């Protein structure tokens, strides 16, 4: 306990020092030491952007089970090796294999015109000839549940709720519920199919796909996301009291599981190599775009953070491990497999941080761990303070791929990225290299590098996540 | 001659008066008379935007020969009638009937990933199984012509020239040449197919289609536009010296001509109803989007200008005629048919103005007519000066649908619209209602209304276009 207190004192001095230049976008000219070197080296490099380019040009989309996913795995092994990581290896796992197939949509009444849509991940297809049915609109799951089942039966349920644009991406959580469970809600009422207004904030003709979850107790019905301008045409026509019928043809299908892999590389710790600070991102992506923001940018951020730490003359005490997870988008099989394969050493995982919000600048750090470790967390956050990162509370989310680790008690840190524009492109064909902004990506990579170093070099650890905070929706 | 001089005097007084408030975005509170009423009424109305909404929601895309084109014609007859136009009627003409069919594109080497592309209008299709060939890049027609034919034979020629963003849209003319004639240039060298970087200024995953012209002396080869992010992937891979092969499958085909129609409505003149000021826009659109900017906005601008002139207590001296042309996009059959059907009265067409640059604000007026009528043109331009419209030179372009009229000597006026953002969406799936900005559209409609009124109420006419200026590329 005494030991921990003296560490706290040192740590708090560190906070005060780092806070001198707090809020600046760059680093202080007077600051020295490995943290300053790290931040400056990341900001001066073009490697993070080049990583996104290389991944997206060479592998392209990387949906679990697709050829691009395999190309991505081979790319990651090569790229981690070239970046100087140790013990680069794959950890195989079975992943879902869902294919989109052909898809067509059209309004057929009141007059015919095409609809831009994309099946939701995991959706069943329609019959080969498609289906044609009247549309009934509901703003939300709750609004649907209030409708007379007789009015819904045989129709295409159209969820028209609008996602709000926010810096922290909170509009997504609020709007995404019909995507996840709307098909089964609609099927319970006898609907023939389900459409949603894409969960996004743009007005491009680019539908936002994303995974759904079927309730096994009701029939599986086809489900797709409409591009926002197309959803808005339906909404306007229906608002005028017009009878609207649509035709849908979806070739989506689920095949037997395929082989996927987490790709892992280490920057070996200098004093306690068996203790691990994990930096995670996911290598898979949806099929429509090229997975540049989601999650090529995250891959680039954690790889660049690890690469720059590895280049330091003296490595931090603990190992910094980069894990490029399989199958974040539609199954979390990679996250589950990692936690299972490393179950025996999870108690040596002292902190995990995930990058999965594109190229957004990091504006805030928050924590999930032993509340007694909050001061230690603040020291880690302070390492990124010269980049404009504020330390906040102990309510970290952790990220999807960290769910099984947090469930096992591994502390997590959120380096929260600005998501103001992320949901303009997320899960769409527009998620390409062109969307990635170098300066923002570099700031995020610098923040991850500094925080990872500080955590890996910290004298103490961060305890364990209390049992009552280990599970979340 | 004396008579013309006194008219000039009156006209120049008009210029001076209107110039008092020149540069202001709105209208002067102290100004009265029909021009002020017109400008204010247009700016206070929501009708122009509602016209775009109604056309695009109800008819959608309106490519010549498509069902949507017929719905658009019926819509226009109804809408012109509801807007109070006289003698609303269609003038039938044969139009090309080209269909896009299925289309697929992919890189197959160095690794496989999809390419977003769209066949160019008029392109032939590939064989049903598609074609797979190596890509050879050329920045321009001139660069292609310098290549060794042996290096081009059997390959897919990829034109990678980049369109520049400009207010006046001049980057389009410079960049569009490979779209028009690149396929035949490539075919002359034995190419198997032709791809272009879309002629546009965005970075969306939305290819820009547009018409090509085949040279009958060489084989017709399939031709398509790549979305800009996809063109840039090809360019980057080729710049690294990689061998790149692509697979293309295009179902495009040309069917026998279909029936189209110009739709015409008049605001009858109070003193010289046989003399005509023509406001033109085109009703057809490409198939990928909904033809909101191109040219739903133009349709709305000229319809709103005519509607508001028609609502005035006293109509101007001459008739203001709105012509919604058929088939501007891929044939100009409507423009040709109008000039032929009205050949006997073209000498009574005193001025023509076309709206075909989306919702852009009008910033400049320029002229093409009898140079001796330049002062009279300036009076017409001055009617829009309170909206911030500058009068410039006598080098008007006229607009595509006015080519046959100008060729017959009919004077034309350009109310030049700001095209800074127009080519982000032009000819793409993203050309939807969401792209139209009410305030900009209304300013343009007000400028068209004021200029049309001033021309229709002018005491004299504008002569004829000199013979040496009647033809252009």
């Amino acid at each position: 306990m005494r030991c921990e207190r003296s560490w706290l004192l040192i740590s708090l001095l560190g906070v005060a020092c780092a806070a001198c230049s707090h809020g600046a976008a760059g680093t202080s000219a007077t600051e020295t030491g490995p943290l300053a070197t790290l931040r400056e080296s990341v900001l001066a490099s073009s490697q993070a952007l080049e990583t996104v380019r290389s991944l997206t040009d060479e592998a392209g989309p990387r949906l679990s089970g697709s050829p691009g996913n395999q190309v991505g795995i081979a790319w990651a092994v090569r790229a981690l090796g070239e970046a100087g990581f140790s013990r680069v290896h794959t950890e195989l796992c079975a992943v879902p294999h869902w294919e989109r197939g052909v898809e067509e949509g059209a309004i057929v009444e009141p007059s015919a015109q095409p609809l831009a849509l994309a099946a939701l991940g995991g959706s069943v297809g329609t019959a080969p000839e498609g289906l044609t049915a009247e549309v009934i609109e509901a703003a939300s799951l709750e609004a649907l549940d209030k409708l007379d089942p007789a009015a819904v039966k045989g129709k295409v349920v159209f969820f028209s709720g609008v996602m709000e644009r926010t810096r922290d991406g909170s509009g997504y959580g609020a709007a995404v519920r019909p995507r996840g469970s709307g098909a089964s809600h609609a099927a319970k009422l006898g609907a023939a199919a389900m459409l949603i207004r894409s969960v996004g904030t743009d007005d491009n003709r680019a539908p936002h796909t994303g995974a759904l979850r079927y309730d096994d107790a009701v029939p599986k019905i086809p489900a797709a996301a409409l591009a926002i301008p197309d959803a808005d045409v339906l909404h306007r026509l229906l608002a005028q009291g017009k009878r609207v019928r649509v035709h849908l043809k979806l070739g989506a299908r689920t095949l037997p599981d395929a082989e996927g892999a987490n790709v892992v590389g280490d920057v070996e710790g200098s004093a306690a190599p068996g203790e691990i600070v994990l930096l995670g991102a996911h290598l898979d992506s949806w099929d429509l775009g090229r997975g540049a923001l989601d999650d090529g940018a995250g891959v680039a951020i954690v790889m660049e953070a690890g690469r720059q730490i590895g280049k330091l003359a003296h490595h931090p005490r603990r190992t910094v491990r980069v894990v490029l997870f399989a199958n974040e988008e539609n199954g979390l099989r990679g996250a589950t497999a990692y936690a299972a394969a490393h179950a025996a050493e999870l108690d040596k995982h002292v902190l995990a941080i995930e990058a999965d919000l594109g190229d957004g600048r990091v504006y805030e750090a928050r924590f999930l761990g032993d509340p007694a470790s909050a001061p230690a967390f603040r020291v880690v956050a302070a390492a990124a303070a010269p980049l404009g990162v504020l330390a906040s509370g102990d309510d970290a989310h952790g990220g999807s791929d960290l769910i099984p680790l947090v469930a096992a008690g591994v502390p997590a840190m959120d380096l929260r990225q600005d998501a103001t524009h992320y949901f303009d492109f997320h899960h769409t064909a527009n998620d390409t290299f062109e969307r990635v902004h170098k300066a923002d990506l570099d700031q995020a990579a610098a923040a991850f590098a500094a925080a990872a170093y500080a955590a890996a070099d910290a004298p103490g650890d961060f305890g364990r996540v209390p049992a009552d905070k280990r599970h979340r929706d």
Side-chain angles (χ1 to χ4, degrees), chain A:
Chain A
M1 188 69 173
R2 202 167 38 195
C3 172
E4 194 157 1
R5 274 190 190 153
S6 59
W7 177 67
L8 271 184
L9 255 179
I10 295 164
S11 303
L12 289 167
L13 283 169
V15 172
C17 178
C20 297
S21 55
H22 168 81
T27 59
S28 162
T30 60
E31 209 189 337
T32 58
L35 288 176
T37 300
L38 267 181
R39 292 187 302 256
E40 287 163 12
S41 300
V42 173
L43 296 179
S45 172
S46 296
Q47 185 55 49
L49 189 68
E50 170 57 18
T51 296
V52 183
R53 187 211 60 72
S54 166
L55 173 60
T56 56
D57 280 0
E58 294 168 27
R62 305 175 298 282
L63 186 60
S64 292
S66 71
N69 193 260
Q70 292 301 322
V71 176
I73 291 166
W75 172 93
V77 170
R78 190 177 71 244
L80 283 167
E82 289 172 359
F85 286 83
S86 303
R87 296 191 290 268
V88 174
H89 65 283
T90 57
E91 299 183 0
L92 301 182
C93 62
V95 291
H97 188 183
W98 176 83
E99 281 187 348
R100 177 172 303 283
V102 299
E103 41 197 25
E104 296 173 17
I107 300 174
V108 297
E109 185 183 339
S111 61
Q113 64 168 302
L115 288 171
L117 54 71
L120 296 180
S123 176
V124 298
T126 60
E129 69 279 13
L131 65 85
T132 302
E134 189 175 344
V135 176
I136 184 166
E137 179 173 343
S140 64
L141 294 172
E142 292 72 21
L144 175 67
D145 291 341
K146 285 179 191 156
L147 293 177
D148 178 0
V152 176
K153 189 172 166 56
K155 295 205 178 126
V156 173
V157 168
F158 162 48
F159 288 103
S160 59
V162 174
M163 176 181 166
E164 188 187 354
R165 184 188 297 278
T166 59
R167 183 176 70 158
D168 67 359
S170 56
Y172 185 67
V176 79
R177 292 174 55 235
R179 193 193 77 199
S181 60
S184 290
H185 268 257
K188 267 178 211 160
L189 300 178
M194 186 278 265
L195 294 172
I196 58 167
R197 185 183 197 270
S198 279
V199 185
T201 47
D202 60 296
D203 53 10
N204 292 310
R205 205 79 183 283
H208 296 240
T209 190
L212 58 65
R213 296 181 307 276
Y214 284 122
D215 176 346
D216 289 335
V218 292
K220 292 178 170 64
I221 61 173
L226 291 164
I228 288 168
D230 299 77
D232 289 349
V233 167
L234 281 194
H235 174 72
R236 288 192 297 264
L237 291 172
L238 291 163
Q240 292 174 343
K242 294 198 159 112
R243 173 179 149 99
V244 177
R245 287 189 312 134
V246 296
H247 178 73
L248 307 176
K249 189 189 289 184
L250 302 179
R253 60 181 184 155
T254 298
L255 300 165
D257 281 357
E259 185 177 84
N262 297 321
V263 186
V264 183
D266 285 350
V267 178
E268 197 164 7
S270 55
E275 297 184 18
I276 292 159
V277 171
L278 185 150
L279 299 183
H282 65 87
L283 192 56
D284 66 312
S285 77
W286 281 107
D287 55 334
L288 297 173
R290 299 200 164 98
L293 291 174
D294 185 13
D295 188 23
V299 167
I301 287 166
V302 299
M303 283 182 58
E304 178 62 359
R307 184 181 79 95
Q308 294 283 3
I309 293 169
K311 282 172 63 187
L312 291 173
H314 194 70
H315 284 193
R317 295 181 56 248
R318 299 186 178 94
T319 291
V320 174
R321 173 170 295 173
V322 165
V323 182
L324 306 181
F325 287 101
N327 186 228
E328 190 275 342
E329 294 295 4
N330 57 338
L332 294 179
R333 301 277 191 92
T336 308
Y338 181 87
H342 297 264
E345 55 170 348
L346 290 189
D347 60 341
K348 298 287 183 65
H349 281 59
V350 300
L351 187 66
I353 321 177
E354 180 165 14
D356 189 15
L357 265 176
D359 67 347
R361 297 176 83 85
V362 176
Y363 63 93
E364 191 177 82
R366 58 182 187 183
F367 317 103
L368 179 61
D370 181 355
S373 298
F377 275 132
R378 290 190 172 264
V379 174
V380 174
L387 297 157
V389 179
L390 290 173
S392 74
D394 60 353
D395 53 348
H397 175 280
S400 301
D401 285 316
L402 305 188
I403 292 173
L405 299 180
V406 169
V410 176
M413 180 174 184
D414 291 347
L415 289 170
R416 304 185 76 185
Q417 295 180 259
D418 187 324
T420 305
H421 301 289
Y422 182 68
F423 293 99
D424 290 345
F425 309 116
H426 173 253
H427 294 190
T428 76
N430 278 326
D431 182 3
T432 65
F433 176 65
E434 287 68 20
R435 304 301 171 189
V436 180
H437 301 85
K438 179 180 187 304
D440 298 341
L441 183 72
D442 289 344
Q443 188 268 7
F448 272 74
Y453 181 93
D457 213 44
D461 65 24
F462 310 95
R464 298 277 100 187
V465 177
D468 64 346
K469 293 191 168 180
R470 292 186 181 189
H471 297 281
R472 61 173 179 76
D473 289 335

